[in-house]
Amino acid sequence: MALATDPQISKILNLLAAEIGDDHTNVCLRTTIYRVWNTEKDALGGPFLKASDQTGKKAIAQQYATILAERAAEDESLAGLHHSLLALADAHHALAQGNDASVLASLTVIVNDLQRSHDLYAQFSSDLKSKN
């Protein structure tokens, strides 16, 4: 069954990965998300320049730094998803070819990507709770 479906499964997983994108400079989901974060970040320029005291400027600078960190974390999560989809395509292909070692290696990549995503989520959840 895996051999018969391998071309279609690979095509679907590669298309999904391409929609997410391998960076945030080409037309893809990562670029769209990156631009949304940049719009939010760029909106702080005016208020920062208009702030009349150091406390106000410091608060806006902190918002700016938070946006950069959240943008990087979201981009890293999407990069991990992109990588995992490609690894899943590799795992399916290896399964179709009867290559158990390659299946295990590809699944290990996916597990590691999931762990990194989980760790990022936990970090930002903790950061949000500590700010409230």
Side-chain angles (χ1 to χ4, degrees), residues 24-59:
H24 51 78
T25 59
N26 295 310
V27 178
C28 59
L29 179 61
R30 285 179 69 188
T31 299
T32 301
I33 298 298
Y34 207 81
R35 288 179 180 166
V36 169
W37 282 109
N38 284 346
T39 299
E40 190 174 332
K41 169 188 64 81
D42 295 346
L44 295 176
F48 181 83
L49 294 173
K50 291 178 186 173
S52 58
D53 63 343
Q54 292 294 20
T55 303
K57 286 187 181 295
K58 184 177 179 180

Side-chain angles (χ1 to χ4, degrees), residues 32-98:
T32 301
I33 298 298
Y34 207 81
R35 288 179 180 166
V36 169
W37 282 109
N38 284 346
T39 299
E40 190 174 332
K41 169 188 64 81
D42 295 346
L44 295 176
F48 181 83
L49 294 173
K50 291 178 186 173
S52 58
D53 63 343
Q54 292 294 20
T55 303
K57 286 187 181 295
K58 184 177 179 180
I60 294 169
Q62 182 58 47
Q63 285 178 304
Y64 188 90
T66 299
I67 288 169
L68 291 179
E70 290 174 352
R71 180 186 70 184
E74 190 164 9
D75 188 58
E76 187 175 331
S77 292
L78 288 170
L81 179 56
H82 173 268
H83 193 241
S84 291
L85 288 167
L86 295 176
L88 187 56
D90 290 344
H92 189 273
H93 182 69
L95 180 66
Q97 300 300 313

